[in-house]
Amino acid sequence: MPLFKSPFAKEPSFNHGQTPKTAVLFCNLGTPDSPSAPDVRRFLAEFLSDPRVVEIPRLLWLMILHGIILRTRPKKSGEKYASIWTPEGSPLKLWTEKQAKLLQGWLGQRGHHVMVRYAMRYGSTSIASQLDALKAEGATRVLILSAYPQYSATTTASVFDSVYAWARRTRNIPELRFVNRYHDDPRYIAALEVSVRRYWKAHGQADQLVMSFHGVPERTLHLGDPYHCECMKTARLLADQLGLVKQQYRVTFQSRLGRAKWLEPYTEPTLKAMAKAGTKRVDVICPGFTSDCLETLEEIAMEGKEAFLKAGGKELNYIPCLNDDAVWITALCEISLQHLSGWPTLEAPDAAALAASRVAALSLGAKQ
């Protein structure tokens, strides 16, 4: 029996001479395992315990979280999740898993030997478990690719925290790279543009296009978080590509939590005000979400629509997230390749080809 327990996880078996492997870990927020109150409670407990997500004095917040929120919110949130749940499970999980598989296939078709896995910051299929699995499969280089186009400490940095926490208990840490943002990447913007134009071609163009992003507390902006600015830039670039003037689109923020002031204008009050002002039809897109989820399918396509219609509007259409759209998957792959640059991902030539190349080089040198 050892005298002490090592603080580091046991390393997987290593064979000298084994080929180094490169991997991409595509990270999204996460989802409960089911819409049941117990599963939602476990998910919310992990999510809302993250100090990146809620930045108020720790002891006070934990008292509120465990004394009030986790006693009352899981049942109500579970009902919301149940309204969008599919026979195969959570939409966010299904789309994220599919995106990872398509990314793997796209890279493979172009000769890149890269393992691609998906992970969730909260809930099942954790970042740590997926990094452990990649190491066990021989990954020596890992690109951490966030599903969040706009950087925020509440989302992107929290993913990085989880990676760093895993690294702290790992003896042999792979090379790591991180994709912080792609909010203004022309390929991402083009994928959004194509999705909107395709929708308009099939359904016609609304009086107004609302671009709704997930909200964060306003104080984070004043503390230096770039999220608000990056959302505004995404919206401006998309509007420019669509040929919209300022009077034809709005930028709003959804999903408030608590009583603190969050980024404004808020989505639902804006939709109500537009309806009361005489706007008949609104199209809503959520550019900050790359996979449809609770916040898009329930909060916008259901609750937002109901609020708009009750306030006098005639029609609200939700334009789906990028999901498995071919233009988006291509953009995601090209963004990945940009950040994989310098890592050997192309298939290595076989021994015979290497020998022939060496002989040719020596022969050429002798002639010179």
Side-chain angles (χ1 to χ4, degrees):
M1 181 180 293
L3 296 178
F4 65 93
K5 183 178 180 181
S6 172
F8 304 110
K10 183 180 178 180
E11 289 291 319
S13 300
F14 175 79
N15 297 318
H16 289 282
Q18 71 184 36
T19 304
K21 295 180 180 179
T22 299
V24 173
L25 189 61
F26 184 55
C27 302
N28 213 330
L29 184 112
T31 175
D33 291 331
S34 80
S36 70
D39 281 345
V40 173
R41 183 177 295 108
R42 279 191 291 271
F43 174 74
L44 290 178
E46 182 183 5
F47 173 46
L48 296 176
S49 293
D50 187 347
R52 289 283 194 184
V53 174
V54 181
E55 293 185 51
I56 66 176
R58 188 74 175 155
L59 181 58
L60 173 62
W61 172 243
L62 290 178
M63 290 173 61
I64 296 171
L65 176 62
H66 291 277
I68 301 174
I69 294 175
L70 293 179
R71 294 173 183 268
T72 60
R73 187 163 178 171
K75 184 176 183 297
K76 184 181 295 184
S77 293
E79 293 171 352
K80 293 177 181 290
Y81 276 108
S83 70
I84 58 118
W85 215 256
T86 75
E88 294 78 26
S90 160
L92 181 140
K93 179 181 182 296
L94 294 172
W95 286 123
T96 305
E97 182 177 16
K98 189 169 186 179
Q99 288 165 344
K101 288 180 178 178
L102 290 171
L103 175 57
Q104 171 96 58
W106 192 100
L107 291 169
Q109 286 179 351
R110 286 152 182 80
H112 295 278
H113 289 247
V114 179
M115 297 185 289
V116 180
R117 301 290 183 273
Y118 78 94
M120 299 298 182
R121 175 60 184 90
Y122 312 102
S124 300
T125 320
S126 69
I127 290 172
S129 69
Q130 293 296 76
L131 286 170
D132 282 339
L134 286 172
K135 266 185 65 76
E137 294 179 58
T140 55
R141 300 173 292 262
V142 182
L143 174 68
I144 307 300
L145 175 60
S146 170
Y148 318 118
Q150 296 79 23
Y151 179 96
S152 173
T154 62
T155 52
T156 319
S158 182
V159 166
F160 298 170
D161 285 346
S162 184
V163 175
Y164 300 144
W166 172 84
R168 278 200 304 271
R169 66 171 183 80
T170 302
R171 186 180 301 277
N172 186 13
I173 302 172
E175 286 186 72
L176 295 171
R177 290 182 183 175
F178 300 85
V179 180
N180 283 36
R181 54 178 56 80
Y182 43 91
H183 67 288
D184 57 355
D185 188 288
R187 296 159 292 196
Y188 158 67
I189 299 298
L192 291 173
E193 178 196 0
V194 168
S195 72
V196 175
R197 290 194 183 280
R198 183 188 300 122
Y199 191 89
W200 284 349
K201 184 177 181 179
H203 304 280
Q205 184 174 341
D207 306 325
Q208 288 275 325
L209 177 66
V210 173
M211 305 183 201
S212 180
F213 294 84
H214 198 288
V216 295
E218 187 186 73
R219 67 188 295 270
T220 62
L221 169 62
H222 304 304
L223 292 172
D225 197 301
Y227 178 72
H228 177 266
C229 297
E230 294 188 3
C231 290
M232 299 303 289
K233 187 170 185 181
T234 295
R236 176 175 57 79
L237 291 173
L238 177 56
D240 287 346
Q241 289 300 109
L242 292 170
L244 300 178
V245 298
K246 288 186 177 180
Q247 294 75 22
Q248 292 178 292
Y249 73 96
R250 306 280 186 94
V251 180
T252 63
F253 297 89
Q254 63 185 88
S255 309
R256 285 178 288 166
L257 175 67
R259 298 180 179 178
K261 186 177 181 181
W262 283 42
L263 294 179
E264 293 181 315
Y266 303 140
T267 298
E268 187 170 307
T270 298
L271 291 173
K272 291 179 179 178
M274 292 171 69
K276 291 177 181 177
T279 302
K280 299 303 180 185
R281 175 182 163 182
V282 168
D283 291 340
V284 184
I285 188 172
C286 298
F289 298 91
T290 52
S291 299
D292 272 313
C293 54
L294 183 73
E295 286 78 7
T296 64
L297 299 174
E298 195 277 336
E299 188 174 350
I300 297 298
M302 295 181 187
E303 288 188 354
K305 181 176 183 178
E306 182 180 4
F308 181 72
L309 297 180
K310 283 186 175 180
K314 299 301 181 185
E315 186 179 350
L316 184 147
N317 297 303
Y318 167 63
I319 301 175
C321 286
L322 295 172
N323 295 327
D324 62 347
D325 182 89
V327 181
W328 160 236
I329 299 301
T330 298
L332 191 64
C333 293
E334 291 177 349
I335 291 168
S336 299
L337 286 176
Q338 176 184 332
H339 290 272
L340 289 167
S341 178
W343 281 352
T345 61
L346 293 171
E347 185 174 8
D350 58 29
L354 283 172
S357 176
R358 186 169 182 271
V359 169
L362 290 173
S363 175
L364 180 61
K367 290 179 180 179
Q368 294 176 345

